[in-house]
Amino acid sequence: MILIKNIGEIVGIVPEGVLRKQGTEMAETGVLKDAWLAIEDGLINGFGVMGTEPVDATEVIDAQGGMVMPAFCDSHTHIVYAGSRDGEFLDKINGLSYEEIAARGGGILNSSDLLHETSEDELYLQSMERVREMMDKGTGALEIKSGYGLNPADELKMLRVIRRIKESVPAVVKVTFLGAHAIGRGYTHEAYVQTVVDMMPQAAELADFVDVFCDEGFFTVEDTDRILTAGAACGLKPKIHANELAVSGGVQVGVKHGALSVDHLERTTDVEIEALRGSSTMPTMLPGSSFFLGIPFGRAKEFIRAGLGIALASDYNPGSSPSGDMRFVMALGCIRMRLTPVQALNAVTLNSAYAMGLSDITGSITPGKRADLLLTHPGWTLTKLPYLYQTPFLRKVFLGGRALG
Ligand code: NIG
Ligand code: FE
């Protein structure tokens, strides 16, 4: 048993069985001051106030007043990609929009060309560097999408690389088939949608979820309906890209298919909020892409006021959000979306775990859950994380009960 003692405060304590937070619950988190926490067999074994700690620990870590919180959960990433899109970064600085870059054959198609030329081993090595950086910054569970293959052979290559990452890291990884990320080169729209549908059984052998970029200029509600129906037939639950570029109808089609989450949501109306109420779908906002693209931030406060929960994720990808720093995502949630630190914490831990179907095993301080924990340096509080948003705060990251080296 590992005992962490003299913890200034534990935050993110959630009772067993609570799988997500919604509405006013978003403002609540369990806190215990002057505490200890025990880890056994990779799981959270228990916690309490100092003076009641177990005496049979084999390893004792003195937190010296540091804070303990759940590791971040990042439910939306595209971190398997080849090379870089720094040339487009310059185009963007010079005034081109995301859509204009895509229309010139750049954007996702640029990444797809690079991926095609890159060997599977090299793709794995390049992607693993990003996963290591994310874990070092405190991410303990992440979802990774395909979507830069855009033909059957290259999509399967991506999915195999994601599986290999999943099998080689201490973080929990979920795999999403995003064949419908853009129309692959050489296909008509219709032929490509059919190809994605036909790919489904093979993709389903490697993937946990299916995703569609349901947005203006990419895939329609009808395409999405078809692809999600094909996914369901192969046992794949949906997670949808919706309402990033336009009010796309993606939210409604996602809810209709029982999506685990609908993501982006920079452009939503009250109709989308209404469609989500009473559903099991987690609205997920990606403030890193709002920041990087200079587009609106999601209306998180209004969603919460309407009784909904929200999750926040990084969207880490080479085109619209080249960062997987979840502490920065949390800071953007507070600074730009006006979430309180507690609301932001719930959004980057429990609710983001829910958006990956993982909130029964991680995403909070709950006995029996995986010990995916962050221990901060002394003096840190939850409010200081987004406030001092660039000051190093992490002393140790525990994933599955093991401290990262
Ligand atoms: O979530 N919106 C669609 N896909 C990604 C961007 C991918 C890229 O530009 O490479 C996103 O923002
Ligand atoms: Fe995305």
Side-chain angles (χ1 to χ4, degrees):
M1 176 192 288
I2 303 173
L3 174 70
I4 310 177
K5 66 173 189 178
N6 296 325
I7 300 169
E9 62 179 22
I10 303 177
V11 301
I13 300 170
V14 171
E16 201 189 329
V18 175
L19 298 182
R20 63 171 164 171
K21 300 228 174 183
Q22 302 189 85
T24 53
E25 298 158 359
M26 287 288 294
E28 297 161 8
T29 188
V31 177
L32 193 65
K33 289 188 191 300
D34 191 22
W36 59 268
L37 182 144
I39 300 171
E40 195 159 43
D41 298 329
L43 306 177
I44 299 171
N45 181 264
F47 50 82
V49 289
M50 285 305 292
T52 64
E53 63 273 30
V55 290
D56 54 346
T58 48
E59 186 185 343
V60 178
I61 297 165
D62 188 343
Q64 298 172 315
M67 178 175 72
V68 167
M69 60 183 277
F72 298 121
C73 298
D74 192 347
S75 62
H76 183 138
T77 86
H78 308 250
I79 55 91
V80 170
Y81 62 84
S84 164
R85 303 234 299 268
D86 53 347
E88 291 174 16
F89 179 54
L90 297 178
D91 293 340
K92 190 174 102 70
I93 291 170
N94 288 323
L96 291 188
S97 70
Y98 186 77
E99 290 92 326
E100 285 164 339
I101 292 170
R104 284 178 160 200
I108 295 169
L109 288 179
N110 190 351
S111 287
S112 148
D113 293 342
L114 285 167
L115 186 131
H116 182 71
E117 291 154 15
T118 305
S119 75
E120 200 160 321
D121 284 343
E122 178 60 23
L123 185 61
Y124 170 76
L125 291 175
Q126 290 185 17
S127 305
M128 275 296 285
E129 278 186 33
R130 290 183 275 275
V131 179
R132 273 194 211 99
E133 184 196 340
M134 292 169 76
M135 293 189 298
D136 286 343
K137 286 186 167 160
T139 294
L142 66 153
E143 179 255 20
I144 309 173
K145 300 174 194 295
S146 72
Y148 294 122
L150 306 183
N151 64 57
D154 289 335
E155 279 297 310
L156 292 172
K157 168 165 124 182
M158 277 195 84
L159 288 170
R160 285 192 301 271
V161 168
I162 304 172
R163 287 296 289 228
R164 196 165 151 197
I165 292 171
K166 177 180 173 133
E167 279 146 26
S168 56
V169 298
V172 184
V173 174
K174 284 287 185 180
V175 186
T176 298
F177 173 50
L178 175 58
H181 196 195
I183 306 297
R185 284 204 199 277
Y187 291 93
T188 62
H189 189 107
E190 176 51 34
Y192 189 68
V193 172
Q194 186 60 46
T195 301
V196 171
V197 167
D198 294 343
M199 251 188 270
M200 205 61 75
Q202 269 182 294
E205 285 175 22
L206 298 163
D208 303 299
F209 307 124
V210 58
D211 193 343
V212 177
F213 189 8
C214 181
D215 224 319
E216 197 169 85
F218 289 86
F219 294 88
T220 65
V221 169
E222 292 69 36
D223 299 334
T224 307
D225 205 35
R226 259 184 82 192
I227 293 166
L228 298 190
T229 303
C234 298
L236 296 182
K237 266 205 153 204
K239 286 169 68 67
I240 299 293
H241 277 73
N243 299 57
E244 174 186 3
L245 307 174
V247 178
S248 68
V251 170
Q252 291 84 337
V253 70
V255 170
K256 175 182 150 195
H257 283 269
L260 211 41
S261 68
V262 287
D263 303 25
H264 270 289
L265 312 179
E266 287 88 349
R267 301 174 205 272
T268 49
T269 67
D270 293 345
V271 179
E272 279 73 30
I273 292 180
E274 212 36 56
L276 282 158
R277 273 154 59 104
S279 78
S280 59
T281 301
M282 179 61 70
T284 299
M285 297 179 183
L286 311 170
S289 50
S290 299
F291 170 75
F292 189 77
L293 295 178
I295 63 175
F297 284 81
R299 300 156 62 197
K301 291 288 272 203
E302 288 165 74
F303 276 58
I304 293 170
R305 234 178 274 128
L308 296 170
I310 61 146
L312 296 178
S314 74
D315 196 19
Y316 194 173
N317 75 74
S320 66
S321 184
S323 160
D325 185 335
M326 286 299 284
R327 187 270 193 99
F328 183 56
V329 166
M330 200 182 159
L332 288 173
C334 294
I335 298 162
R336 302 302 307 273
M337 301 164 97
R338 299 284 164 202
L339 296 174
T340 66
V342 172
Q343 289 173 328
L345 175 75
N346 285 320
V348 296
T349 56
L350 188 72
N351 281 3
S352 196
Y354 178 93
M356 294 184 272
L358 288 175
S359 60
D360 55 339
I361 63 159
T362 191
S364 65
I365 307 292
T366 307
K369 277 195 180 179
R370 280 171 53 97
D372 297 332
L373 309 169
L374 308 183
L375 169 62
T376 73
H377 293 298
W380 282 86
T381 60
L382 182 62
T383 301
K384 284 185 184 169
L385 281 195
Y387 168 58
L388 302 173
Y389 64 94
Q390 283 195 317
T391 308
F393 72 104
L394 260 179
R395 178 172 152 199
K396 259 187 203 307
V397 177
F398 294 88
L399 299 185
R402 288 233 177 109
L404 287 187

